[in-house]
């Protein structure tokens, strides 16, 4: 991994272009890239010109004080903001080499390629099996029941839930514990074999043991997917991510290798935040 | 002026700390408990009162209806004349017509005369007053049609008693319109075991009649059923699709708001206005048949639509957004999200709303009066375009008649209506539970 650090201008002093403007278009290790992304909710300017890359086979953590726009930015990557009537997204976001806002991009297919796990576990009120099978079914990824069974089993295994539920796949997903539900949601997301997984505070509703399991899982999943995680816990960001982006009031203040960002932040704001002076 | 320490607030507080064991605090707790108990008692009292009213209503109707489901019959030995349908082979259409046309009432009268040997004109009138006008003819006709070999022979048959005789049999102590002579005859019937009051199955099979012994609720039940079928078939799909479109797909703009406000207004429009609309549109403009279930059903569908749309939207709103997000995040299209997740989750609520709307429609009279469903209809309707009446209208028409028998039939009709309503609500509960456990 290269140790370059993309510094963003502080909100007070916009101007110098980021040192690294290479995008997914010319870098094979870059999976997604955002270029000068702005998001407005009606009159609220929630994301103010963010430019950053998401690398393949890495965990990218988004940190920052509450309300700074982490969730909003995360939802840009699979165009979930399209479902918010008041939201408007400007700028360019590339998946591999393609702009995801291009007219020929089918947003439904995009969301299959860029999966999402939400803050609150939200299994469908259907059986565990149907939860995991739903994605493959609607996208026609399997030809017969045996294939589907296999996808369900491997997805649950990858999500570390198989051993706990293999004998009761027909019970409702909503009857599982919070941590199990979150792993079910992860299994559901990886069942469609996405290229990128977006996670919005996936552990905020979980106890330390369940959190540890999810963190292990994220580490495993990193081998195959590009992962973007929003987290409020800087310890978690340090534990699980390779790169960290610090947001403040809609600006990307600092983005770089996790170790470097936490040990020697380049920006005063970042230093204040990670030393717990505010936020 | 009192110092600050005398003020009630400061008694609980001492240097900013609450005094949890002070007498004032204890009093406050006791007052709170009393308040809790009073509140619960008030709730219980309200519930009891509501329950009592309901019990009173249902009990009163059931009490009045008890005789409406029964009919008294008299056993008579009848000589079936040999000239009934002379020259016709049994089973042919001509035979049936001839049997129907025969003056059966005089046959029944002769049987009575034979039994009591009365001859004077007055006696004959009194005898005639014992058996039901139309009922006796219907019973004799049915007997001969069933068994043509009876023609020219004597048969012992049960014939429906007249309305006053029926009332006398049901309550012998009540004031009666019968003469002493007639009561004497009836007593002799009873003594011989030739008088019985039995459950009136015909009540559920026939339409209206001027003869209380023949009047039944069957025609109105079928009429209501056909009407509601039309209402359901029209209002449910339109209502559900409207609710889905407004809730899940419509852009948030002025037009949507305008439509929404107007649907809410429609729900508050008096039902008779829908009757006027139905009269103008379906009868006058489209020239559909008067009094027909199809027109009644369409009119009631107009009335029920707002209810279904509003309850449907409420049910859709109650589906948590996290479910929509989850499906969208997996790459489901808007339509798939609605069909696979939102609609199944909202279905119990939608069905409940629909059934409540249908129950309202079932009990509705005013709009149907406007489209002529208040007609006197003897035949049980067999199609959507035949003249028909519905339960509440039938009840309303019986309630206007003076005879005690119709009073009982009114109550019996109300019971039938209530049973329908209860069954519909039970169905709503059943469907809700079924869909929810899925
Ligand atoms: N649906 C919405 N409509 C209007 N404004 C919104 C909406 N969602 C978010 N916002 C606004 O956008 C800004 C960023 O919100 P966002 O949810 O992205 O913050 P966040 O960093 O995820 O916060 P948290 O850490 O508390 O989850 C906030 O000021 C918020 O009020
Ligand atoms: Mg958030």
């Amino acid at each position: 991994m290269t140790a370059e650090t993309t510094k963003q201008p502080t909100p007070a002093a916009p101007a110098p272009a980021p040192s690294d403007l290479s995008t997914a278009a010319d870098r094979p290790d870059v999976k997604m890239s955002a270029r000068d992304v702005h998001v407005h909710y009606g009159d609220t300017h929630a994301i103010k010109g963010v430019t950053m890359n998401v690398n393949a086979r890495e965990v990218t953590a988004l940190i920052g004080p509450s309300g700074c726009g982490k969730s909003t930015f995360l939802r840009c990557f699979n165009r979930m903001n399209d479902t918010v009537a008041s939201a408007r997204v400007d700028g360019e976001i590339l998946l591999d080499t393609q702009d995801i806002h291009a007219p020929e991009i089918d947003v439904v297919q995009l969301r299959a390629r860029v999966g999402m796990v939400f803050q609150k576990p939200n299994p469908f009120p259907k059986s565990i099996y149907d939860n995991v099978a739903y994605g493959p079914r609607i996208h026609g990824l399997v030809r017969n029941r045996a294939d589907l069974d296999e996808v369900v089993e491997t997805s649950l295994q990858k999500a570390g839930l198989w051993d706990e539920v293999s004998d009761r796949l027909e019970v409702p997903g909503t009857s599982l514990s919070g941590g199990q539900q979150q792993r079910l949601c992860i299994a559901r997301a990886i069942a469609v074999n996405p290229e990128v997984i977006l996670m919005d505070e996936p552990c905020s509703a979980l106890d330390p043991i369940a959190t540890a399991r999810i963190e292990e899982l994220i580490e495993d999943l990193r081998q195959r997917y590009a992962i973007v995680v929003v987290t409020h816990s800087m310890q978690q960001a340090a534990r699980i991510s390779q790169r960290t982006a610090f947001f403040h009031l809609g600006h990307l203040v600092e983005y770089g290798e996790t170790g470097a960002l936490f040990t020697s932040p380049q920006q005063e704001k970042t230093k204040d935040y990670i030393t717990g002076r505010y936020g | 002026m009192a110092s600050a320490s005398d003020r009630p607030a400061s008694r609980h507080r001492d240097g900013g700390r609450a005094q949890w064991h002070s007498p004032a605090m204890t009093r406050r707790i006791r007052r709170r408990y009393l308040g809790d108990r009073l509140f619960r008692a008030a709730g219980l009292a309200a519930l009891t009162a509501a329950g009592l009213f309901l019990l009173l209503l249902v009990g009163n109707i059931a009490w009045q209806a008890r005789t409406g489901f029964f009919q008294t019959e008299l056993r008579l030995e009848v000589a079936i004349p040999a000239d009934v349908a002379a020259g016709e082979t049994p089973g042919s259409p001509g035979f049936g017509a001839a049997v129907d046309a025969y003056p059966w009432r005089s046959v029944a009268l002769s049987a009575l005369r034979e039994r009591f040997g009365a001859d004077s004109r007055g006696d004959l009138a009194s005898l005639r007053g014992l058996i039901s006008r139309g009922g006796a003819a219907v019973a004799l006709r049915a007997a001969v049609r069933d068994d043509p070999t009876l023609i020219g022979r004597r048969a012992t048959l049960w014939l429906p008693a007249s309305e006053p005789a029926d009332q006398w049999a049901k309550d012998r102590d009540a004031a009666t319109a019968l003469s002493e002579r007639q009561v004497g005859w009836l007593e002799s019937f009873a003594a011989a075991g030739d008088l019985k009051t039995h459950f009136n199955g015909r009540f559920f099979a026939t339409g209206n009649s001027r003869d209380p012994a023949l009047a039944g609720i069957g025609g109105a039940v079928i009429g209501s059923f056909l009407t509601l079928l039309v209402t359901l078939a029209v209002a449910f799909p339109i209502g559900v699709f409207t609710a889905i479109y407004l809730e899940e797909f419509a852009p948030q703009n002025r037009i949507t708001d305008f439509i929404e406000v107007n649907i809410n207004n429609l729900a508050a429009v008096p039902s008779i206005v829908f009757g006027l609309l139905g009269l103008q549109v379906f009868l006058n403009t489209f020239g559909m048949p008067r009094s027909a279930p199809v027109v009644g059903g369409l009119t009631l569908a107009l009335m029920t639509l707002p209810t279904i749309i509003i309850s449907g939207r409420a049910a859709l709103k109650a589906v948590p957004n996290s479910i929509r997000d989850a499906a969208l995040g997996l790459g489901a299209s808007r339509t798939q999200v609605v069909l696979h997740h939102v609609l199944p989750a909202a279905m119990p609520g939608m069905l409940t709303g629909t059934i409540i709307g249908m129950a309202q429609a079932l009990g509705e009279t005013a709009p149907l009066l406007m489209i002529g469903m208040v007609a006197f209809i003897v035949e049980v309707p067999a199609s959507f375009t035949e003249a028909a009446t519905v339960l509440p209208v039938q009840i309303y028409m019986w309630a206007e008649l003076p005879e005690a028998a119709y009073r009982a039939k009114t109550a019996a009709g109300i019971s039938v209506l209530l049973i329908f309503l209860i069954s519909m609500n039970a169905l709503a509960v059943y469907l809700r539970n079924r869909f929810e456990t899925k």
Side-chain angles (χ1 to χ4, degrees), chain B residues 377-392:
Chain B
I377 289 159
V378 179
E379 295 297 320
V380 175
S383 79
F384 291 107
T385 48
E386 261 168 62
T389 190
V390 293
L391 280 168

Side-chain angles (χ1 to χ4, degrees), chain A residues 93-242:
Chain A
I93 297 168
L94 301 184
L95 172 60
D96 294 327
T97 57
Q98 201 166 24
D99 183 356
I100 63 169
H101 289 105
E104 67 271 19
I105 282 279
D106 175 42
V107 64
V108 164
Q109 204 183 53
L110 171 74
R111 294 197 190 121
R113 292 174 67 190
V114 182
M116 189 160 211
V117 176
F118 296 82
Q119 175 171 3
K120 225 178 101 224
N122 55 356
F124 299 127
K126 298 174 190 283
S127 72
I128 293 174
Y129 185 96
D130 286 339
N131 262 280
V132 182
Y134 183 68
R137 272 191 187 132
I138 59 170
H139 295 297
L141 302 182
V142 287
R143 253 166 295 122
N144 52 40
R145 178 79 189 195
D147 282 0
L148 191 59
D149 287 348
E150 196 188 311
V151 169
V152 170
E153 179 173 344
T154 52
S155 304
L156 285 169
Q157 260 161 357
K158 281 187 211 158
L161 190 61
W162 176 253
D163 295 338
E164 288 156 68
V165 300
S166 59
D167 55 340
R168 49 181 176 135
L169 292 176
E170 69 293 338
V171 304
T174 41
S175 68
L176 297 173
S177 78
Q180 289 173 326
Q181 287 189 17
Q182 195 60 298
R183 277 179 282 151
L184 176 61
C185 292
I186 294 174
R188 184 175 69 185
I190 59 188
V192 291
N193 203 16
E195 296 157 40
V196 182
I197 301 178
L198 311 172
M199 299 187 180
D200 194 350
E201 299 181 47
C203 304
S204 67
L206 306 182
D207 69 74
I209 293 171
T211 302
R213 296 215 53 163
I214 304 268
E215 288 181 5
E216 272 170 42
L217 174 59
I218 291 174
E219 177 60 27
D220 277 354
L221 295 175
R222 177 168 79 85
Q223 314 303 326
R224 289 177 295 273
Y225 310 101
I227 298 176
V228 187
V229 181
V230 172
T231 175
H232 269 143
S233 155
M234 275 167 288
Q235 289 83 348
Q236 185 173 61
R239 277 196 302 270
I240 62 173
S241 72
Q242 282 67 54

Side-chain angles (χ1 to χ4, degrees), chain B residues 174-241:
Chain B
T176 174
L178 297 172
S179 67
E180 247 168 70
R181 191 91 198 274
Q182 287 173 311
V183 172
W185 286 330
L186 285 175
E187 271 164 353
S188 88
F189 267 114
D194 289 343
L195 181 150
K196 73 170 181 193
T197 299
H198 70 120
F199 186 74
N200 186 5
R202 190 190 282 135
F203 179 68
F204 298 98
T206 61
N208 201 3
S209 170
R210 303 257 181 247
D211 185 336
L214 292 180
I217 198 81
V221 168
I222 301 293
S224 273
F225 179 76
L226 294 176
T227 305
L228 285 190
L229 217 57
V230 173
T231 305
L232 185 67
V234 173
F236 183 68
I238 296 181
V240 167
F241 273 105

Side-chain angles (χ1 to χ4, degrees), chain B residues 21-43:
Chain B
H21 302 291
S22 70
M25 193 62 96
T26 314
R27 267 203 306 282
R28 182 205 295 276
I29 290 174
R30 220 179 296 130
R31 261 207 314 279
R32 175 155 55 80
Y33 279 142
L34 183 69
D36 286 355
R37 270 200 303 277
L38 281 177
F39 191 77
R40 233 172 300 159

Side-chain angles (χ1 to χ4, degrees), chain B residues 75-425:
Chain B
R75 184 156 57 187
L76 271 177
E77 198 180 311
V78 187
I80 313 280
D83 63 343
V84 177
E88 300 280 357
T89 28
S92 69
F95 175 79
V99 170
D100 284 354
Y102 200 80
W104 290 108
R105 200 149 171 256
S106 62
V107 176
L109 192 60
S110 332
L112 280 171
R113 260 169 77 185
E114 214 175 285
R115 178 163 183 149
F116 296 109
D119 262 329
S120 72
R121 275 182 88 87
D123 283 351
L124 278 184
S126 299
L127 276 178
R128 205 179 279 133
L130 289 185
I131 51 169
S132 153
R133 268 164 181 273
V138 168
L140 286 166
R141 220 179 272 148
V144 173
R145 271 167 162 271
D146 281 355
D147 183 5
T149 61
L150 289 179
I151 294 172
R153 292 192 0 226
R154 302 180 70 80
T156 307
L157 295 172
W158 286 98
L159 303 180
S162 69
E163 197 262 337
D166 182 52
Q167 292 303 316
W168 175 85
K170 283 168 181 166
D171 183 1
R172 299 191 186 184
D173 302 326
T176 174
L178 297 172
S179 67
E180 247 168 70
R181 191 91 198 274
Q182 287 173 311
V183 172
W185 286 330
L186 285 175
E187 271 164 353
S188 88
F189 267 114
D194 289 343
L195 181 150
K196 73 170 181 193
T197 299
H198 70 120
F199 186 74
N200 186 5
R202 190 190 282 135
F203 179 68
F204 298 98
T206 61
N208 201 3
S209 170
R210 303 257 181 247
D211 185 336
L214 292 180
I217 198 81
V221 168
I222 301 293
S224 273
F225 179 76
L226 294 176
T227 305
L228 285 190
L229 217 57
V230 173
T231 305
L232 185 67
V234 173
F236 183 68
I238 296 181
V240 167
F241 273 105
T242 308
I244 290 175
Y245 183 78
L246 285 176
E247 205 52 48
E248 303 286 331
F249 295 103
Q252 287 296 316
N253 58 25
R254 290 249 189 82
I255 302 173
T256 312
D257 288 349
F258 180 76
I259 292 173
E260 198 177 327
V261 167
N262 280 295
I263 288 173
N264 291 342
N265 283 341
L266 275 185
V269 166
S271 58
I272 193 146
V273 176
F274 288 102
L276 281 169
L277 186 69
L279 172 67
Q280 186 57 43
V281 174
F282 300 125
L283 296 187
N284 295 352
T285 308
F286 292 133
M288 290 174 156
R290 280 178 72 81
S291 315
V294 62
V295 178
L298 287 172
T299 307
L300 291 178
L302 292 178
M303 193 196 83
T304 318
L305 256 181
T307 313
I308 296 183
I309 295 173
I310 291 171
S311 67
R313 294 191 64 183
L316 290 169
K317 261 201 190 81
V319 176
N321 262 327
S322 63
I323 302 266
R324 293 184 182 85
D325 284 348
L328 285 171
L330 275 177
S333 68
R334 294 279 288 276
T335 312
Q336 286 172 328
V337 172
V338 170
L339 291 183
H340 298 163
H341 301 286
V342 178
L343 204 52
M347 226 357 135
M350 289 188 146
L351 286 178
T352 309
T354 304
I355 292 176
I356 289 173
M358 298 302 290
Q360 272 174 9
L362 175 64
E364 200 58 67
T365 347
L368 300 180
L369 301 186
M370 301 306 301
I371 55 151
M373 281 192 103
V374 71
F376 183 92
I377 289 159
V378 179
E379 295 297 320
V380 175
S383 79
F384 291 107
T385 48
E386 261 168 62
T389 190
V390 293
L391 280 168
V393 173
Q394 184 65 79
I395 291 165
Y396 166 75
M397 291 196 297
W398 281 343
E400 290 196 313
L401 298 174
E403 290 98 329
Y406 281 116
R407 226 169 22 245
K409 286 201 189 292
T410 306
I414 293 173
S415 321
V416 171
L417 184 61
L418 284 181
I419 288 167
F420 263 75
L421 289 172
I422 291 168
S423 326
M424 284 172 84
N425 285 329

